[in-house]
Amino acid sequence: MFAAGRDELKFITIEEARERRMEPSKVTAERPDRVGVHVMRDIPLDIVAQYIDWSPLFWTWELKGSYPSIFDNATFGEQAKEIYTEAKRLLARIIEEKRFRLEAVFGLFPAHSEGDDVVAFEADGSGGELERFCFLRQQRDREGLPNLCLSDFVSPRRDTGPDFIGAFAVVCHGVEEFAKSFENEHDDYQSIMVKALGDRFAEALAEFMHKEVRAVFGYGKGETLSIEELIREEYRGIRPAPGYPACPDHTEKGKIWKVLDVEENIGLKLTESYAMTPASSVSGFYFAHPDAKYFNVGKIDKDQVFDYAKRKGMSIEEAERWLAPNLGY
């Protein structure tokens, strides 16, 4: 067994971290109304625009604050108001002229957890294994708190009845083309604004789709949350994205692309570095358990990296390259 790691990080072994896994409350997983893969095209811009979280728009211009309280900032409140006015004017044009095109694909599959993996099965009920999603577990000594892994939020195979996992990808097409039209006119400000709105639309589409999927799952059918409550994530379930703190390995996107046939269905591609193109896009997983929450895997030790590389069928060197920001040794 490998050493626990640098003393100041206070690692525990991956085996001990798994023994300290979270034990979610026992719930009977609702069977979604629709399983398998589903594609949505030409999603109305005006509907999705209602789900826009405006706060990150101001961050594009390095104005730190939250919408709408940012307007009251004594230093840059007036500048924030001007940016918002320009954004709303351009947004109206985008909707009126249908400059952007919104598309989404999602899939819901029977699943069980196996250790730190989640195994998704064919939607046709045949029981055939569709894909194995590999996740990482917190490995620092959390002093009485559970060491979390996303697989904790899916019931293990030993439990009776299937659980479910979802995956999704959404894209806002047309952003680069519209931005280029402003660049050709040497209007860099409007070009930046177009790209910022493209990102806002992609995130809003992810929010809109998650709401739709919660209804498909069943537990979200009676949901009456306001847009502000949705933005604050006051709903059941999470949608973590590969490359983000709860699942930092970008290569898991490749499995999402495979099971959802993302490129064929909505024209969203992955580069060799697993960046999404067009850039105004979002992808990730759906976890429906009421105890599911976001967390940061943080630093991990060598024994987990070796274990993860084996589960992924990667060399140690390749795993270390993809997990470099999380290495604690």
Side-chain angles (χ1 to χ4, degrees):
M1 179 53 59
F2 297 98
R6 293 184 296 174
D7 291 341
E8 64 270 24
L9 290 179
K10 295 183 179 178
F11 284 124
I12 57 178
T13 67
I14 185 57
E15 288 87 356
E16 186 173 359
R18 286 170 179 156
E19 290 174 0
R20 299 186 189 181
R21 70 187 294 273
M22 179 181 182
E23 294 289 349
S25 56
K26 295 292 185 182
V27 297
T28 300
E30 296 94 337
R31 180 175 178 82
D33 294 339
R34 291 176 285 157
V35 295
V37 178
H38 306 278
V39 182
M40 297 179 67
R41 298 189 175 90
D42 296 320
I43 303 168
L45 291 167
D46 57 340
I47 292 178
V48 174
Q50 300 173 44
Y51 292 78
I52 288 178
D53 177 4
W54 288 106
S55 295
L57 173 75
F58 306 106
W59 306 343
T60 303
W61 277 269
E62 299 183 351
L63 303 182
K64 300 303 180 184
S66 299
Y67 170 85
S69 61
I70 192 172
F71 298 146
D72 298 324
N73 186 281
T75 304
F76 48 74
E78 288 304 316
Q79 184 183 357
K81 290 178 183 178
E82 291 175 7
I83 289 172
Y84 181 69
T85 299
E86 288 290 333
K88 292 287 282 187
R89 183 181 298 120
L90 187 57
L91 175 68
R93 180 181 172 186
I94 289 168
I95 294 173
E96 175 67 26
E97 299 177 3
K98 297 183 179 179
R99 289 283 182 166
F100 294 168
R101 189 176 80 257
L102 304 179
E103 297 187 341
V105 57
F106 72 92
L108 302 176
F109 309 98
H112 282 299
S113 62
E114 288 187 2
D116 295 346
D117 296 342
V118 174
V119 182
F121 299 96
E122 296 286 354
D124 60 10
S126 65
E129 184 172 317
L130 176 66
E131 187 56 83
R132 179 177 293 262
F133 298 108
C134 301
F135 299 111
L136 294 163
R137 184 173 295 279
Q138 293 174 325
Q139 204 174 352
R140 301 276 294 276
D141 186 348
R142 288 170 48 79
E143 299 178 349
L145 296 175
N147 289 74
L148 300 175
C149 177
L150 286 172
S151 66
D152 293 348
F153 307 130
V154 178
S155 65
R157 191 187 291 268
R158 66 176 179 270
D159 286 4
T160 58
D163 205 340
F164 295 87
I165 190 172
F168 73 94
V170 302
V171 61
C172 180
H173 288 292
V175 177
E176 292 297 330
E177 295 83 353
F178 195 29
K180 184 68 174 177
S181 70
F182 286 107
E183 291 173 13
N184 292 339
E185 297 173 1
H186 307 289
D187 191 342
D188 292 339
Y189 177 83
Q190 291 293 341
S191 176
I192 293 171
M193 183 68 79
V194 167
K195 293 176 182 178
L197 285 174
D199 291 344
R200 293 300 85 227
F201 260 111
E203 294 289 349
L205 181 55
E207 195 70 77
F208 169 78
M209 288 303 304
H210 197 181
K211 186 177 188 299
E212 294 292 301
V213 167
R214 290 195 297 275
V216 173
F217 261 114
Y219 62 83
K221 286 183 178 179
E223 191 176 273
T224 59
L225 299 176
S226 67
I227 299 299
E228 291 74 19
E229 289 170 328
L230 291 175
I231 290 172
R232 292 196 301 266
E233 299 171 350
E234 296 182 10
Y235 45 75
R236 171 180 160 181
I238 58 174
R239 56 170 191 275
Y244 281 75
C247 45
D249 180 11
H250 283 277
T251 68
E252 286 296 297
K253 288 179 197 163
K255 298 177 181 178
I256 294 175
W257 258 244
K258 176 184 173 184
V259 299
L260 300 182
D261 202 1
V262 173
E263 185 172 346
E264 176 66 24
N265 279 323
I266 61 172
L268 180 58
K269 301 179 181 179
L270 288 177
T271 67
E272 289 185 358
S273 61
Y274 289 90
M276 295 177 287
T277 181
S280 295
S281 51
V282 182
S283 61
F285 301 99
Y286 292 129
F287 289 85
H289 196 284
D291 293 342
K293 61 182 179 179
Y294 296 104
F295 60 90
N296 187 356
V297 167
K299 298 294 184 181
I300 59 176
D301 206 3
K302 188 174 293 186
D303 61 340
Q304 180 167 190
V305 174
F306 277 40
D307 176 271
Y308 187 74
K310 182 177 180 181
R311 287 155 49 206
K312 292 269 291 186
M314 284 181 170
S315 67
I316 303 299
E317 294 73 20
E318 186 179 7
E320 289 179 327
R321 179 165 62 88
W322 286 110
L323 300 177
N326 294 85
L327 300 183
Y329 57 92

